[in-house]
């Protein structure tokens, strides 16, 4: 069920980054709210992100739809997280038991793709997607294939979001 590389990589992370403190901080920083707080000022001043609230609403809607799809995939695949299967942690939250695909990776790539390719935000914000994936790996919330799978889902959702904006919403805004 698990790829050998996934297990080996997660074991290496567990042995190399053994402190709970690192994992705890990464888990806190790797939340959507933190991403939003960091990115809102950038979006406020971005040239293509106008009108601000309509653009923000569109990005939030596409991210929400992507998140619901990822949740469906997680329930369908029902793969245990590395915290449960590699580190032996017990988590009573039923939504925290499933790992594939990574919602953080999928959502961050979805949002960043729309921001860059639809609203013209500078591509440097792709760093948030990379940090999101790395943070999920180091905190043992996901296997490597979970993060890659999340990026694939995020790429598809982000592409659909960009196309939806360019071919449907943007022409409506130009009237």
């Amino acid at each position: 069920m698990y790829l050998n590389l996934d297990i080996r990589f997660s074991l290496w992370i567990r042995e190399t980054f053994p402190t709970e403190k690192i994992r705890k901080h990464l888990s806190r920083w790797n939340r959507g709210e933190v991403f939003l707080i960091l990115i809102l000022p950038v979006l406020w001043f971005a040239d293509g992100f106008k009108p601000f609230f309509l653009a923000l609403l569109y990005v939030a809607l596409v991210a929400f739809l992507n998140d619901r799809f990822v949740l469906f995939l997680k329930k369908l695949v029902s793969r245990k997280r590395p915290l449960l299967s590699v580190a032996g942690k017990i988590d009573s939250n039923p939504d925290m038991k499933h790992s594939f695909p990574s919602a953080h990776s999928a959502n961050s790539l979805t949002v960043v793709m729309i921001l860059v390719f639809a609203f013209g935000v500078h591509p440097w914000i792709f760093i948030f997607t990379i940090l999101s994936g790395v943070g999920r790996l180091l905190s043992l919330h996901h296997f490597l294939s979970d993060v890659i799978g999340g990026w694939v889902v995020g790429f598809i959702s982000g592409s659909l979001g960009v196309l939806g904006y360019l071919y449907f919403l943007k022409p409506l805004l130009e009237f």
Side-chain angles (χ1 to χ4, degrees), residues 14-175:
R14 183 172 181 229
E15 293 164 6
T16 307
F17 303 97
T19 64
E20 286 296 318
K21 194 174 191 179
I22 291 173
R23 292 188 193 127
K24 193 177 198 179
H25 288 316
L26 280 172
S27 292
R28 286 186 185 148
W29 275 97
N30 208 5
R31 294 174 168 252
E33 306 86 58
V34 173
F35 177 72
L36 186 62
I37 290 168
L38 292 173
I39 206 73
L40 273 177
V42 173
L43 300 180
W44 182 261
F45 294 107
D47 291 333
F49 205 70
K50 307 288 185 233
F52 179 78
F53 292 107
L54 185 60
L56 189 62
L57 182 64
Y58 180 75
V59 172
L61 175 66
V62 175
F64 174 78
L65 294 173
N66 176 70
D67 191 63
R68 297 300 95 191
F69 180 65
V70 167
L71 185 60
F72 167 76
L73 290 176
K74 281 181 184 263
K75 300 286 184 187
L76 185 69
V77 174
S78 295
R79 180 179 186 183
K80 288 184 180 178
R81 292 182 181 272
L83 273 174
L84 302 172
S85 58
V86 173
K89 299 277 182 183
I90 306 253
D91 195 336
S92 60
N93 184 342
D95 291 333
M96 292 299 293
K97 291 185 183 345
H98 303 119
S99 70
F100 185 86
S102 166
H104 284 79
S105 299
N107 292 336
S108 65
L109 188 57
T110 297
V111 169
V112 167
M113 283 187 63
I114 294 169
L115 295 178
V116 171
F117 298 113
F119 295 108
V121 174
H122 197 276
W124 69 265
I125 66 168
F126 273 103
I127 192 75
F128 286 110
T129 297
I130 294 165
L131 292 174
S132 175
V134 169
R136 300 310 281 176
L137 292 171
L138 292 178
S139 63
L140 287 177
H141 279 89
H142 289 287
F143 290 105
L144 182 59
S145 62
D146 300 337
V147 170
I148 293 169
W151 283 334
V152 169
V153 171
F155 177 80
I156 293 167
S157 295
S159 297
L160 291 172
V162 169
L163 291 173
Y165 174 77
L166 293 176
Y167 292 106
F168 298 108
L169 187 60
K170 188 175 180 181
L172 289 175
L173 294 174
E174 292 174 351
F175 279 118

